[in-house]
Amino acid sequence: MWQPLSEIGRSESGGYVRHGWTAADRACRDWFAGCAARRGLAVEEDSAANLWAWWPAPGGGAVVTGSHLDSVPEGGAYDGPLGVVAGFLAVDLLRERGVRPERPIAVVAFAEEEGARFGVACLGSRVLTGVLDNPDNLVDPDGVRLLDAAGPLRPDPQALGRVGVFVELHIEQGRALADLGAPLALADGIWPHGRWRFDFAGEANHAGTTRLPDRADPMLPFARTVLAARAAAERHGGLATIGRVAVVPNGTNAVASTVTAWLDARAPAEESLDALVAEVAAGADATVTAESVSARVDFDPSLRARIAAVLGRRVPVLGTGAGHDAGVLSAVVPTAMLFVRNPTGVSHAPAEAASDADCAAGVEALAAVLADLSGA
Ligand SMILES: [Zn+2]
């Protein structure tokens, strides 16, 4: 399953660059269609550009699993694809075992989950569910509109209406399972999180001739904000990262005229996230704009209990600071997530890892869950 995927969008560093509506994305979509075709599963694309592979059954309320195929810039091999690969392999296992589901089963690949090209995470699932009802005017860094790259993406109540339950399997994005010595975990929820843009204004000038007291250098409040974000995260038990900066004019011998920085912040509870961001913003001497904020997600407790019973052993329960399509779907249908151990704990980078044995354990677990939920 990995071999044909392993070269798609791979860069020289060994990382993956698979942004929505690029050649790499199209190759991933073709791979998905091929996997479905080889299994005799009908492929449908909903009006939000998400791909579905259907194993039909007479009942309603489909049992859906899957994840995404796009990546961050220079991402790892497993974030996203593991959930799609595991979905297809779980279908194979069920068929090998002669399982006849009473409810349809589908494997889904959500579009542009990472938001790496158009700046909106979980783009496909947000449009599908109507959280984002008209994304036409989103633009990529080259100024290309989403409408022109992807066509008009719209909510799809009909496609969504077929989903009875959604279970996403995902590589763990930290090293909790490695520390616990366990291959799998069940998620309890997703931390509230968001992205804020900080615009620092200054005045462009010559680095060699402008006296220090005469400067309005936006790099200084920017630098203080980076440190303040770290301190606020520590105080509030959350995470804060400034990993993206745009400097104008970005010259070695020029005092910058503006610095724009993006703060990514997450915390276990909404109060602590609000306090963290308010504290950073208050001391920043910048114009602060919330670009996207996601509330805390608690996955369906009865579904979690049912899955824990199916897995038949004590499975660790983890929260996560990362957003997922499952978090978006959870507002509409009962939703759960399984995590597979990542021995390096590294995520969104090529060092992300998973052993074949742990991936296989994930497939086994997912197959058992799908069988149970589909009434087989
Ligand atoms: Zn992911």
Side-chain angles (χ1 to χ4, degrees), residues 68 79-80 113-114 170 324:
H68 60 95
D79 181 349
E113 190 271 347
E114 302 287 6
H170 203 278
H324 296 285

Side-chain angles (χ1 to χ4, degrees), residues 17 34-35 50 63 71 77 84 86 137 142 151 160-161 163 187 202 218 249 254 285 314-315 341-342 353:
V17 184
C35 289
N50 307 302
V63 179
S71 76
V84 180
N137 292 323
D142 297 325
L160 188 61
V163 182
D285 196 13
R314 280 178 57 91
V315 180
R341 171 166 51 192
N342 173 358

Side-chain angles (χ1 to χ4, degrees), residues 345-358:
V346 173
S347 179
H348 285 182
E352 174 189 270
S355 72
D356 286 354
D358 286 355

Side-chain angles (χ1 to χ4, degrees), residues 128-226:
L128 169 69
T129 54
V131 174
L132 188 59
D133 59 3
N134 183 345
D136 288 354
N137 292 323
L138 293 175
V139 288
D140 75 3
D142 297 325
V144 177
R145 285 198 310 163
L146 179 64
L147 178 65
D148 298 318
L153 305 186
R154 293 293 180 267
D156 197 330
Q158 210 179 346
L160 188 61
R162 298 172 73 178
V163 182
V165 58
F166 178 57
V167 181
E168 179 170 1
L169 179 144
H170 203 278
I171 186 76
E172 195 204 345
Q173 296 175 281
R175 39 173 309 111
L177 284 176
D179 292 345
L180 290 167
L184 299 175
L186 196 52
D188 64 349
I190 299 177
W191 288 11
H193 57 280
R195 300 174 180 188
W196 289 264
R197 193 180 75 237
F198 284 59
D199 290 296
F200 301 89
E203 186 184 29
N205 222 323
H206 193 297
T209 59
T210 316
R211 296 186 320 145
L212 294 178
D214 295 340
R215 296 180 181 202
D217 184 350
M219 275 293 181
L220 302 181
F222 161 68
R224 284 193 286 271
T225 301
V226 174

